[in-house]
Amino acid sequence: PDIAEPRSMRGRLRLRDAYRPIIEEAAGRLVRREVSEIRRRARRIWAQRDREQWEAFLEEFYRDFEPAVAQVMAPGLRSLAEQVHAEAMDEIGATDEIGADFERFVGDYIETRAARWRRSSLGQLRRVVEEAGDDPLPAIETRLDAWEQSRAEDIARREVVRAGEAFAKATWTLAGVPAVRWVVTTEDCPFCDQFDGRVAGMNAPFVHAG
């Protein structure tokens, strides 16, 4: 058929709930390391009002932190990928084992996730400094406090959806599925509801930006 009819999406949805605490625990370890080091160095650097030293520190820190993100997040994401692959193959009635192409996709996804973390952190910290005036330390501390309180949870909530859908789509693409159909699984998003039943090719968006 042109479109693979899903046999059941409940398995993949259950995986989101199962892996959210796993991803949150890994993200929490990274957030604690990130916040601790940045807070320590920020207090020292901004006591001297040294903007150039701050920029140099951020570049150096995140150059080393990005591969750490990939290393810490990899076990949970790889495990999620294996489970999603199995569920996605079951949805189309296939049983192929994980191949090298899928493994490569997962590795690339993990590296991209680490780079996205770096870009987000750098962007937030630079914006804070730009908007804070002559003494940005209180604003930096406020942002770090916010990261401690909710960043790991926010990352986990988004990542189980983003990664899960990416791994499923990669599975279907490699299996030769040409198109997918939008299926509404909740009733609390009027924007999403309007796309129920819409079909899109594997490399086409369901809706364009804007």
Side-chain angles (χ1 to χ4, degrees), residues 39-57 129 133-138 140:
R39 178 175 282 132
R40 183 178 68 82
R41 293 293 293 273
R43 289 172 178 173
R44 181 187 306 171
I45 291 170
W46 288 107
Q48 305 170 27
R49 299 290 198 275
D50 194 332
R51 187 177 294 262
E52 289 187 3
Q53 186 181 356
W54 173 247
E55 271 299 317
F57 158 67
V129 170
D134 293 336
D135 183 14
L137 183 58
I140 293 171

Side-chain angles (χ1 to χ4, degrees), residues 65-76:
F65 190 67
E66 181 176 331
V69 171
Q71 181 179 18
V72 172
M73 297 292 284

Side-chain angles (χ1 to χ4, degrees), residues 20 35-36 77 100 115 126 202 206:
R20 190 177 296 117
V35 167
S36 176
L77 289 174
R126 284 169 173 160
M202 296 305 292
F206 280 101

Side-chain angles (χ1 to χ4, degrees), residues 50-91:
D50 194 332
R51 187 177 294 262
E52 289 187 3
Q53 186 181 356
W54 173 247
E55 271 299 317
F57 158 67
L58 289 181
E59 287 293 336
E60 178 183 6
F61 174 78
Y62 282 105
R63 184 171 57 247
D64 295 334
F65 190 67
E66 181 176 331
V69 171
Q71 181 179 18
V72 172
M73 297 292 284
L77 289 174
R78 288 192 183 280
S79 178
L80 175 60
E82 292 174 4
Q83 297 297 319
V84 168
H85 182 276
E87 292 287 350
M89 292 298 281
D90 184 63
E91 286 185 42

Side-chain angles (χ1 to χ4, degrees), residues 3 7 24 41 51-52 54 56 66-69 80 86 88 99 105 120 127 133 135 138 149 160 164 167 185 206-207:
I3 304 163
R7 295 168 58 187
E24 184 174 345
R41 293 293 293 273
R51 187 177 294 262
E52 289 187 3
W54 173 247
E66 181 176 331
V69 171
L80 175 60
F105 176 86
S120 175
R127 251 188 333 270
D135 183 14
Q149 292 170 11
V160 291
F167 298 149
T185 57
F206 280 101
V207 60

Side-chain angles (χ1 to χ4, degrees), residues 10-31:
R10 285 193 288 270
R12 284 192 294 118
L13 294 176
R14 284 195 298 269
L15 286 174
R16 294 182 184 180
D17 293 333
Y19 275 85
R20 190 177 296 117
I22 296 172
I23 300 300
E24 184 174 345
E25 189 278 332
R29 282 187 279 140
L30 289 162
V31 169

